[in-house]
Amino acid sequence: MIVKLGGYGYSSNTYLILDKENILIDPGAGEYTEKILEEIETYTTNIDLIINTHCHYDHCSSNYILEEIFGCPTAINDREVKHLKLGDEVTVSYLFGKKLTPPKDIIPLSEIKLDFLEIIETPGHTYGSISIIYKDSLITGDTLFKYGVGRTDFPTGNFNQLKNSILKLEKIFYEKNLKFILPGHGEIGDKRAFIYAKNIL
Ligand SMILES: [Zn+2]
C-alpha cells in the first residue's frame, strides 16, 4: 500500500510505500523530520530505501537524519547524484536560507531494481526529475500538481522539457489505467490534473 504523509509548511509531501520493501519517497525538509518520523512510526519501524523525485531542499534535506535512524540509502536520478552530494545551487537550499546536509549513502537510480515500482524520467522542473508508478498511482514530484505544473525557472529547469514530460505522463496514465496523481505538494489529484496542466502549458 501507499500512504501520503507530511506536507508541513514548505516541506514536500512524503509517500510511504509498504510492500516487499518499504520505500520512503521525498521525506521532506530537515526542519520537519520529527513530525514525519512520528507519522512513519505509526506504520513501520523499517525503511529500506529513500527515493528522491529530484534534489530540491524541500524534498530531501531530511534524508541524512532518516538515514541515521533507519540505516537506509538514498536513491536519486544519476544526473542529480552530484548535486545532492554537494548541496549546490541546483538543490535551491539558498531559497530557504539553509545548507543541505547530504546523506552518506547515495545510489544512482539506474542501479536500483524494484519490480513493484516503475521509474519514469520527467525532466523539466529539474533535469533529473522523475515520476514513479506504484499500482494505480502516479507519483509526480514537482512535475505535475492537482491544479498546476512545476516551476521551470530554477537551475536546470526547462519549460519545453516539462511540457513534453507531462504529455508523456498523460499517455502513460491512460495506457496503464492509473487513477491517482500523487504530487510533491498539495492534495492528491486524478486525471483532471492533465486538463488543468494543458491549460497552462
Ligand atoms: Zn522542486
Side-chain angles (χ1 to χ4, degrees):
M1 71 170 187
I2 182 162
V3 286
K4 177 177 179 282
L5 315 173
Y8 306 108
Y10 59 76
S11 191
S12 70
N13 291 336
T14 300
Y15 296 99
L16 173 62
I17 293 176
L18 300 153
D19 205 296
K20 286 180 230 167
E21 294 183 72
N22 294 340
I23 315 286
L24 194 61
I25 297 170
D26 287 349
E31 299 79 66
Y32 300 96
T33 311
E34 283 288 313
K35 283 171 155 299
I36 206 76
L37 193 56
E38 260 178 45
E39 285 196 85
I40 293 167
E41 284 173 348
T42 64
Y43 295 97
T44 183
T45 52
N46 174 51
I47 298 294
D48 296 292
L49 178 70
I50 294 168
I51 299 178
N52 292 141
T53 59
H54 60 297
C55 68
H56 279 169
Y57 179 90
D58 53 328
H59 293 249
C60 59
S61 54
S62 63
N63 287 349
Y64 83 101
I65 307 172
L66 294 165
E67 176 185 58
E68 278 173 18
I69 293 166
F70 295 110
C72 58
T74 298
I76 191 163
N77 190 330
D78 302 37
R79 300 182 92 172
E80 300 201 355
V81 168
K82 61 176 181 289
H83 304 302
L84 185 58
K85 264 187 188 150
L86 295 169
D88 64 12
E89 78 287 351
V90 182
T91 69
V92 299
S93 59
Y94 59 87
L95 287 179
F96 303 95
K98 309 272 185 188
K99 215 181 131 357
L100 187 141
T101 305
K104 294 190 183 74
D105 192 0
I106 304 175
I107 306 173
L109 251 182
S110 63
E111 293 176 17
I112 300 281
K113 292 279 168 284
L114 293 164
D115 60 6
F116 56 93
L117 290 186
E118 193 180 330
I119 307 288
I120 307 159
E121 297 218 25
T122 47
H125 176 62
T126 63
Y127 67 175
S129 286
I130 58 155
S131 298
I132 302 167
I133 299 172
Y134 176 71
K135 296 197 163 126
D136 57 1
S137 293
L138 180 63
I139 300 155
T140 52
D142 287 357
T143 299
L144 177 67
F145 302 114
K146 184 176 183 182
Y147 298 113
V149 304
R151 287 173 63 165
T152 54
D153 55 336
F154 297 132
T156 81
N158 181 301
F159 183 78
N160 280 325
Q161 283 184 348
L162 182 83
K163 186 174 177 177
N164 289 333
S165 291
I166 289 171
L167 295 174
K168 176 164 128 183
L169 286 180
E170 183 182 34
K171 194 163 171 278
I172 293 169
F173 193 86
Y174 284 102
E175 276 172 6
K176 294 191 179 276
N177 203 14
L178 304 180
K179 297 221 160 25
F180 304 106
I181 302 285
L182 275 44
H185 298 276
E187 294 166 27
I188 290 174
D190 56 25
K191 64 185 179 190
R192 285 170 291 183
F194 293 106
I195 300 168
Y196 295 119
K198 287 201 284 188
N199 281 330
I200 302 164
L201 295 170

